[in-house]
Structures are given as C-alpha cells and as structure tokens.
Amino acid sequence: MNKRVKLEESWKQRLLPEIEKDYMIKLRAFLKSEMNAGKKIFPPASLYFNALNSTPFDQVKVVILGQDPYHGDGQAHGLCFSVAPGVQAPPSLKNIFKELNNDLGVASPNHGYLKSWAEQGVLLLNSVLSVEASKAGSHQNMGWETFTDKIIEIINAQKEHVVFLLWGSYAQKKGSIVDGSRHLVLTSVHPSPLSAHRGFFGQHHFSQANAYLEKHGQKTINWSLSNL
C-alpha cells in the first residue's frame, strides 16, 4: 500500500482523506515491516484494492461482505469469496454456487473466479484486505476494518437502492449501519459448510437482489459464470 498501489478514481475522490489518516499510515508501516521481515502476504499488494478497482463507486449495485482474504497460496486476489483462475473453488464458494443453482438454475462453473460479477456492479468487499500466509485472521485489528467500514458508510450515504448481502454474523454486524429504508439488506447464516445447512440454502438472495434492482430501474446481475 504505497504510491505504486493504484486506486480507481471515483473511490480515490471519496477515500483519499481516509487513506491519509494516522491509522492508515500505521497500517502501511505494519504491512511494510511484515514484508521486510520476509513474510508472505496475500493478496499481492497491487491487489489490496482490487474490489474497489473492479467495481467503481458509480457502478455499485450489490455489496457482498466477506471477512478475511484466503490465506492459501495463489487463492486470494482481492475479491471476497473469489479465487484466482486455476484455483479450485473453496467450500463456502461451492455452497454459494449450489444456492445459485437452487435459486436461478445457474450451473456451477469449473472455477471460482468472480471477476465478472465485480464488473457488473457487485462489490466483493472483505473487511480485512490482507493476511499472512497460512495464518487466518493475522491482519485483523490493524486498521483495515475501519477503512472498509468507511467504504460501507459512503455507499450507504451517497447511493440509493443498493442490495447488501450479509452472510453470517460478522457481515451482519459490519453491515448494521446500512439504512434498510434506502437499500435492500438480505441476511442469512454464512455459506460455510459449518453453517450453510442452517439457513443459507433456500434464501433465494440472488433472485431477490435482481427483482429489487429491476424494480428500481437498474440492470440486473447475470450471476452465471462461463467455464474457463
């Protein structure tokens, strides 16, 4: 997170004051020291802001909130729940695909790369934007959460009729500031194999999201993913 890290212009305009705050300066110093110590950090620094760079502010229609980036080799690329091309879809993502199939009849793809969702206006935002290899949650409470709270705050205040998909108690707590009279907030348990059978399946969030977008004159999301 330095001068070489690019941030899409519409987000930069809104987030520059936040990026210059003390807590973000401390976060940059922490990340630099971790890398200087030879620790492997995921995703690469150039992809910390991939969710924002893939979905400009003006295009945001749906927000899916995750928690941490994946901490396995080659998985994380800056979009929550998504994995880089060539990497097998993790269990939670497989359950998302299963629910998509139940809801819309969409066939599960042979990959877990969700970039096409992001390009249609689905902001795939993790709460924490970096992690040390093989150490889940290792960059929590270092400042990222405050930064991503600001992103949610900006969307909530400056846009209308955005769909927020809040899966699991962590996402629901983080999204609790969203004004349900201006936006559609859909909640369920997390799609993890540990909880999905307790209420993730059968929620029909994807068709509900599209019905809401259509009702408010917006183009719906094509949730189907072509095989790579």
Side-chain angles (χ1 to χ4, degrees), residues 1 7-8 10-19 21 23-24 27 47-58 60 62-66 78 122-129 143-159 162 164 174-175 177-179 183:
M1 198 167 54
L7 185 57
E8 190 275 330
S10 66
W11 284 114
K12 193 175 185 178
Q13 289 170 11
R14 290 166 173 85
L15 291 168
L16 203 54
E18 199 70 17
I19 287 170
K21 286 184 177 178
Y23 82 90
M24 286 295 278
L27 174 58
L47 294 177
Y48 289 163
F49 299 133
N50 195 21
L52 301 175
N53 292 337
S54 299
T55 313
F57 173 81
D58 296 333
V60 175
V62 178
V63 178
I64 299 178
L65 288 183
V122 181
L123 182 65
L124 296 165
L125 183 67
N126 273 320
S127 176
V128 178
L129 302 186
W144 279 129
E145 293 94 337
T146 305
F147 180 69
T148 51
D149 280 349
K150 185 66 179 179
I151 293 168
I152 296 166
E153 184 185 310
I154 287 169
I155 296 169
N156 179 58
Q158 297 183 24
K159 292 188 78 75
V162 173
F164 287 81
K174 189 169 183 71
I177 66 155
V178 176
D179 181 351
H183 307 286

Side-chain angles (χ1 to χ4, degrees), residues 21-83:
K21 286 184 177 178
D22 282 350
Y23 82 90
M24 286 295 278
I25 293 167
K26 287 177 183 173
L27 174 58
R28 283 198 287 278
F30 163 74
L31 292 167
K32 188 176 180 181
S33 69
E34 292 290 280
M35 285 185 268
N36 287 345
K39 294 181 180 179
K40 192 182 280 190
I41 307 300
F42 297 135
S46 61
L47 294 177
Y48 289 163
F49 299 133
N50 195 21
L52 301 175
N53 292 337
S54 299
T55 313
F57 173 81
D58 296 333
Q59 294 176 23
V60 175
K61 299 177 186 176
V62 178
V63 178
I64 299 178
L65 288 183
Q67 189 166 353
D68 264 6
Y70 296 120
H71 54 81
D73 252 335
Q75 290 181 302
H77 66 107
L79 304 180
C80 77
F81 290 107
S82 181
V83 286

